[in-house]
Amino acid sequence: MSTAMPFAADGALLSEVTAAVKTAGVTLRDRYTSHARGVSLDEVVGEIHANDDAVLDVLREPLLRSRPGSQWAEDELAGGALPPGEWWVVDPAEGNINHVHGMEDWAVTATLVRDNLPVLTVVHLPLTGDTYTAVAGGGARLNDRPLKVSAKTDLGAALTGTGQAKPGEDERTFRRIGDSVTAMLINGLVVRVSVPATMQLIHVAAGRMDAFWQFSDVRSGLVAGALLVSEAGGTVTDLAGEPWSTAGRDFLAAAPGIHTSALKVLAPIA
């Protein structure tokens, strides 16, 4: 994943975006409880929408103002290619379902996508204070520390992961998830199946996990992690082995040493 634009201009924007995302993170943290909120489906969905609305109220305008001419991708569950130009792809509560159930795996993410490739991202974890950032051509960092993907070369020693991109996907996608987990359990060491995607992809970027794949193209769950992994030295493709962009139908981010092996396991299922 690369961009012809120099990263200097995007890098200069990073501190402003980071500040905006951290401020939004305070809003989401203040809404967090260690117990589940909502019993019925309508109540749970209501809590999810309330989280989104509260965070977007403090995040949207600062991001649009920071990049004049940029546009906003409205539907966080949408996939596929965006029109040409610069777009903010934001998940105001990545892992929202975890947040409303009193779990700790959630974050605020904001990614600038230029011509369908992510060029800048900030992922902030309000409960820990950790912030993952990347600029295309400028590397990936956790707070002030550079990130580097795993050096593993043996898929049999790999910790990998996947998960569903959103509720209510089609049965074929669910069956492919199940088949892929079985195949990777046979060929790898351990498979994590969880949501959201970003919370697994930051582990791939940091070298804690070795690969993550997904059979769906919900862009808000993939763009941040795709840039973090690629800038940390990982390989990011679709399951045909082609370079990934938001137009891709499926996704694989892996340490270079196991990417080919993982692709051989997953490609027939895709």
Side-chain angles (χ1 to χ4, degrees):
M1 186 179 306
S2 63
T3 176
M5 296 286 291
F7 72 84
D10 296 326
L13 179 65
L14 185 61
S15 61
E16 191 172 351
V17 176
T18 300
V21 172
K22 285 184 175 181
T23 298
V26 173
T27 296
L28 191 58
R29 185 188 65 206
D30 288 348
R31 296 183 59 82
Y32 176 69
T33 62
S34 59
H35 61 270
R37 306 192 306 279
V39 176
S40 69
L41 177 59
D42 286 345
E43 289 171 342
V44 171
V45 170
E47 291 285 350
I48 287 172
H49 287 324
N51 280 347
D52 284 343
D53 292 344
V55 175
L56 288 174
D57 279 348
V58 298
L59 185 57
R60 178 177 178 134
E61 289 307 316
L63 291 182
L64 288 171
R65 187 170 58 247
S66 72
R67 197 68 160 184
S70 62
Q71 301 176 78
W72 193 269
E74 292 288 349
D75 185 357
E76 70 184 67
L77 293 179
L82 289 159
E86 292 189 336
W87 292 82
W88 288 108
V89 176
V90 170
D91 197 318
E94 171 71 330
N96 211 339
I97 192 70
N98 296 337
H99 186 286
V100 304
H101 282 89
M103 300 179 188
E104 298 181 355
D105 288 350
W106 47 270
V108 179
T109 77
T111 304
L112 183 65
V113 175
R114 178 181 300 128
D115 296 331
N116 285 298
L117 291 175
V119 295
L120 177 151
T121 194
V122 176
V123 176
H124 179 60
L125 282 58
L127 288 184
T128 65
D130 286 334
T131 305
Y132 293 77
T133 60
V135 175
R141 306 182 74 84
L142 165 55
N143 302 326
D144 294 324
R145 177 172 63 82
L147 294 175
K148 186 173 179 59
V149 296
S150 164
K152 286 182 185 173
T153 58
D154 177 10
L155 184 61
L159 170 57
T160 64
T162 189
Q164 69 187 90
K166 59 183 178 180
E169 296 190 79
D170 60 89
E171 183 178 343
R172 181 169 178 264
T173 297
F174 289 145
R175 292 191 180 279
R176 286 193 295 175
I177 293 171
D179 290 345
S180 69
V181 169
T182 299
M184 197 61 79
L185 285 169
I186 293 169
N187 290 275
L189 180 63
V190 173
V191 179
R192 298 182 69 199
V193 182
S194 65
V195 294
T198 301
M199 299 302 285
Q200 295 198 62
L201 284 164
I202 60 175
H203 292 313
V204 177
R208 305 182 197 111
M209 287 177 59
D210 305 298
F212 173 84
W213 74 93
Q214 189 168 277
F215 291 108
S216 186
D217 64 346
V218 175
R219 68 175 83 92
S220 67
L222 297 176
V223 288
L227 184 58
L228 284 163
V229 171
S230 63
E231 287 297 320
T235 303
V236 181
T237 67
D238 61 22
L239 290 175
E242 298 298 321
W244 182 83
S245 75
T246 58
R249 293 184 301 172
D250 41 42
F251 179 89
L252 173 64
I258 68 158
H259 179 269
T260 299
S261 298
L263 200 60
K264 287 180 180 178
V265 171
L266 297 169
I269 299 167

